[in-house]
Amino acid sequence: MAIQGAIPVEFGTVFPHGAFALGVEAITDFETKRPQLDKNTGLPLWAVDVIDADPEARGKAKSVKVKIPAQVCPVLPDEAAGLPFRPVEFEDMAVMPYVDDNGRRPRVAYSLRARGMRAPGGGGRQKAPASSASAAKGGE
């Protein structure tokens, strides 16, 4: 098969109504309690908590995490006047399907990745430092 690993996808395909960032935290390996590293770049992984602005999104689909590999914690865009959350766009996104078997029935789920984030419209560009394009193409 031609597709190996994560599937590149545009931000607007994943979040056609936009997205809002709530916060960023380091992803810790459950067993070692050390920072989880991206398999392609060796950089620490950071999780950005995101609310999907789609008015039709419900339940678990309303809140997702987008993983960004970076040496230091990515910085959220500035707050927007009059909004309780920070509007955000992700750069070089990729989607990694996997089987989630933590429930009663296994289901296909998706892990979202990006190389960087910025304020919508390109302002306040916050590219994750020391990352590479290969980070969005598959390492878990």
Side-chain angles (χ1 to χ4, degrees):
M1 180 169 16
I3 297 175
Q4 299 291 322
I7 302 165
V9 65
E10 294 293 322
F11 172 80
T13 302
V14 179
F15 299 107
H17 297 278
F20 297 97
L22 299 175
V24 182
E25 63 184 5
I27 300 174
T28 305
D29 184 283
F30 180 74
E31 293 177 5
T32 66
K33 307 295 185 229
R34 299 182 72 180
Q36 190 178 61
L37 302 178
D38 180 73
K39 290 179 182 175
N40 288 334
T41 65
L43 294 171
L45 283 171
W46 303 86
V48 181
D49 288 316
V50 178
I51 293 179
D52 188 343
D54 183 352
E56 300 296 318
R58 300 282 183 254
K60 290 182 180 180
K62 191 72 175 166
S63 177
V64 297
K65 292 185 186 286
V66 176
K67 297 177 184 179
I68 298 177
Q71 191 61 48
V72 296
C73 183
V75 178
L76 293 177
D78 292 334
E79 292 179 350
L83 292 176
F85 308 112
R86 298 168 189 254
V88 67
E89 286 184 1
F90 293 96
E91 301 170 336
D92 298 325
M93 288 194 76
V95 114
M96 174 70 89
Y98 66 95
V99 175
D100 179 3
D101 56 3
N102 289 330
R104 292 183 297 195
R105 290 179 52 189
R107 66 180 183 89
V108 175
Y110 302 94
S111 175
L112 299 172
R113 297 207 171 229
R115 193 174 71 187
M117 67 178 158
R118 64 176 181 247
R125 184 179 182 99
Q126 292 292 327
K127 194 168 226 174
S131 66
S132 71
S134 66
K137 292 189 170 75
E140 191 58 36

